[in-house]
């Protein structure tokens, strides 16, 4: 995760968590977690990180300031008429901005403004030759519309721009499979049974992360031991761990700051 975003997320926890008390009823909390301190920190971040940075003229030398503001807006889920105007202004010059700035802006739009900048995302998609920016622009567009009229042009541009690199670059290849999912001639039940079978990765400890398409709902993790048995508790109930795998941005798993990937993990130790 971006360093500034980690810092802001830590501050977000400070301004949202409640005081904690020990088993001896002795208050164990920092002054940062009081209502007054949380409110003050929240207001200071909006004033100094968002409003002040976005008030600077957008130029090469101030791109990082604007990116910090975008990060803070995501962490705090913050929108206002002022910020919307600034985001639109940033899109007006996105073609001449750095790759990092383009990524940061598209991520912000995906997070907070999923319907407002589709023409701008389409324009960036058509002109960008950076795999990640191209993929993020494409994901922004298909989030709202997965009709063939949207997917087909993206699919065509993908190969026109990147040719055989589509099969070699992990980002482009992931986008390809999201545009054209593989046709698997096996039912989900049969596929699940084959993956959980002891003949799959025999002798290995395997962790399975199952997630819903809507990451607003938690998924779960189960573990299969080296003997091929699903681990259970003392009562014979399958051991599961709830897993919150949604990122702030809710971008797909293969992109920076995206959701935690679902899938199969081989464990060691």
């Amino acid at each position: 995760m971006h360093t500034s975003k980690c810092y802001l997320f830590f501050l977000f926890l400070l301004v949202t968590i409640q005081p904690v008390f020990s088993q001896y009823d002795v208050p164990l909390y920092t002054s940062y977690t009081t209502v007054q301190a949380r409110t003050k920190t929240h207001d200071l971040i909006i004033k100094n990180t968002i409003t002040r940075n976005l008030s600077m003229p957008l130029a090469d030398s101030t791109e990082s300031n604007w990116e910090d503001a975008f990060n803070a807006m995501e962490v705090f889920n913050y929108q206002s008429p002022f910020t919307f105007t600034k985001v639109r202004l940033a899109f007006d010059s996105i073609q001449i901005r750095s790759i990092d700035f383009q990524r940061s802006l598209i991520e912000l739009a995906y997070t907070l403004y999923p319907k407002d900048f589709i023409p701008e995302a389409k324009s960036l998609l058509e002109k960008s030759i950076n795999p990640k920016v191209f993929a993020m622009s494409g994901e922004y567009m298909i989030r709202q519309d997965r009709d063939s009229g949207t997917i087909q042009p993206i699919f065509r541009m993908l190969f026109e721009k990147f040719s055989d690199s589509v099969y070699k670059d992990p980002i482009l290849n992931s986008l390809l499979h999201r545009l054209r999912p593989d046709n698997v001639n096996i039912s989900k039940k049969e596929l699940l049974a084959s993956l959980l079978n002891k003949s799959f990765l025999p002798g290995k400890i395997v962790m399975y992360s199952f997630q819903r398409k809507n990451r607003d709902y938690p998924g779960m993790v189960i573990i299969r031991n080296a003997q091929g048995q699903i681990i259970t508790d003392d009562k014979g109930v399958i051991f599961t761990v709830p897993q919150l795998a949604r990122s702030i941005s809710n971008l797909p798993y293969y992109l920076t700051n995206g959701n935690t990937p679902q899938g199969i993990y081989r464990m060691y130790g």
Side-chain angles (χ1 to χ4, degrees), residues 13-236:
L13 291 179
L14 289 180
V15 301
T16 55
I17 60 176
Q18 298 298 318
V20 178
F21 298 89
S22 75
Q23 58 182 324
Y24 305 108
D25 295 326
V26 178
L28 296 176
Y29 61 87
T30 171
S31 60
Y32 288 114
T33 65
T34 62
V35 173
Q36 295 83 356
R38 283 185 281 139
T39 301
K40 181 179 180 181
T41 300
H42 178 273
D43 293 345
L44 282 174
I45 290 176
I46 291 175
K47 177 182 177 181
N48 294 328
T49 305
I50 298 177
T51 304
R52 180 176 295 176
N53 283 340
L54 293 184
S55 295
M56 297 179 179
L58 180 55
D60 293 349
S61 60
T62 59
E63 280 189 1
S64 61
N65 299 92
W66 281 59
E67 290 175 44
D68 287 343
F70 296 161
N71 289 334
M73 289 168 64
E74 288 182 50
V75 171
F76 281 83
N77 193 30
Y78 181 79
Q79 301 180 54
S80 71
F82 169 76
T83 59
F84 182 80
T85 300
K86 293 299 182 176
V87 172
R88 183 166 292 284
L89 177 65
F91 267 109
D92 288 343
S93 62
I94 193 170
Q95 302 293 347
I96 63 171
R97 296 291 151 216
S98 67
I99 298 299
D100 285 343
F101 187 89
Q102 291 176 349
R103 284 179 46 212
S104 181
L105 182 56
I106 285 291
E107 180 183 319
L108 174 71
Y110 192 96
T111 306
L112 296 181
Y113 305 101
K115 300 179 181 180
D116 297 300
F117 297 100
I118 291 176
E120 290 81 0
K122 181 180 179 182
S123 177
L124 185 60
L125 181 85
E126 293 171 344
K127 297 178 182 179
S128 178
I129 57 173
N130 179 271
K132 188 170 288 188
V133 171
F134 181 89
M136 292 178 74
S137 301
E139 290 288 353
Y140 183 87
M141 293 178 63
I142 65 176
R143 184 180 187 183
Q144 297 300 323
D145 183 5
R146 293 195 63 87
D147 290 342
S148 60
T150 298
I151 290 180
Q152 277 300 114
I154 299 175
F155 184 83
R156 174 176 48 78
M157 281 188 280
L158 180 62
F159 283 94
E160 287 178 351
K161 286 176 178 283
F162 303 104
S163 189
D164 290 343
S165 296
V166 172
Y167 300 108
K168 302 173 184 177
D169 186 290
I171 291 176
L172 297 176
N173 194 250
S174 295
L175 175 62
L176 172 64
H177 287 293
R178 284 176 57 80
L179 294 172
R180 291 282 182 86
D182 294 329
N183 292 320
V184 180
N185 295 319
I186 183 175
S187 70
K188 292 182 180 179
K189 185 176 180 180
E190 292 173 319
L191 178 60
L192 186 61
S194 67
L195 293 177
L196 296 177
N197 193 288
K198 63 175 63 178
S199 63
F200 176 74
L201 290 177
K204 305 297 182 181
I205 301 174
V206 183
M207 182 180 78
Y208 301 88
S209 172
F210 297 111
Q211 301 298 327
R212 305 192 195 193
K213 287 184 178 180
N214 185 348
R215 292 300 183 88
D216 290 343
Y217 297 94
M220 69 174 183
V221 166
I222 65 172
I223 305 213
R224 196 203 69 189
N225 62 25
Q227 290 71 46
Q229 301 165 330
I230 302 299
I231 293 179
T232 60
D233 62 19
D234 296 337
K235 298 180 181 179

